[in-house]
Amino acid sequence: YPLCALAVSALDLGCHSVSVTLQKGSFVRLRPQTAEFIDIANPRVVLERQLRNFSALTKGDTIMINYNRKTFLIDIMDVATRSGPTDAISIVETDVEVDFAAPLDYVEPPKPEPKPAVQPVVSGGGGASSAAPVAAPKAEDKKAKKRSLNLQSSRRSADTRA
């Protein structure tokens, strides 16, 4: 009964509905309103499952996604069909390419300040110069370099086997 009353009162307020046929979508650009959405384990999979509850997407709308007892708001920034940009698309039984814009509350992390280059130190006496000591490469750097070399060598051996 409450839903019927709501529907009747909406009609009384002058709301109207129009039936249109939408083209199948091929592209949508989404913007989460919080960066928390992109921190979940696999936002694309979550979104794919949740979008099954929708039959159409309209540019400028905001949809609600529920996941792990949290509600995420996602803005529909752009939609397009194979023939180009449009205002609304059907997403029923179609593959849609999804692009994410930066979340509304996203703040880019500050860039680390570059380390000053090591300058040679000139001694005052005999004209001989000596460079300031240079730090030895960290063990982590050596491991990373070794891993990348191992990957390259395994690719080479795989290429020679093929």
Side-chain angles (χ1 to χ4, degrees), residues 2-15:
L3 291 176
C4 292
L6 180 62
V8 170
S9 64
L11 292 174
D12 291 340
L13 294 173
C15 295

Side-chain angles (χ1 to χ4, degrees), residues 31-39 101-110:
R31 178 182 63 193
Q33 290 193 0
T34 61
E36 188 177 16
F37 180 76
I38 59 174
D39 291 337
L104 195 57
D105 68 348
Y106 181 75
V107 177
E108 191 149 337

Side-chain angles (χ1 to χ4, degrees), residues 140-156:
E140 296 170 3
D141 294 340
K142 288 180 183 176
K143 287 180 185 175
K145 196 173 201 177
K146 187 174 183 178
R147 265 183 273 153
S148 67
L149 292 174
N150 288 341
L151 290 174
Q152 290 173 359
S153 64
S154 65
R155 278 192 209 122
R156 277 193 215 113

Side-chain angles (χ1 to χ4, degrees), residues 33-107:
Q33 290 193 0
T34 61
E36 188 177 16
F37 180 76
I38 59 174
D39 291 337
I40 61 178
N42 195 339
R44 285 193 184 270
V45 170
V46 170
L47 192 61
E48 182 178 322
R49 287 186 182 148
Q50 293 293 317
L51 284 178
R52 291 179 186 157
N53 298 320
F54 296 87
S55 58
L57 296 175
T58 304
K59 180 180 178 178
D61 278 357
T62 299
I63 60 173
M64 221 177 356
I65 303 283
N66 293 310
Y67 178 72
N68 270 357
R69 300 182 189 173
K70 292 185 180 184
T71 300
F72 299 99
L73 297 175
I74 311 288
D75 297 328
I76 311 299
M77 303 296 293
D78 293 300
V79 295
T81 63
R82 290 191 203 295
S83 57
T86 187
D87 290 328
I89 57 171
S90 169
I91 58 170
V92 176
E93 296 180 18
T94 187
D95 289 330
V96 177
E97 178 185 340
V98 177
D99 184 33
F100 285 95
L104 195 57
D105 68 348
Y106 181 75
V107 177

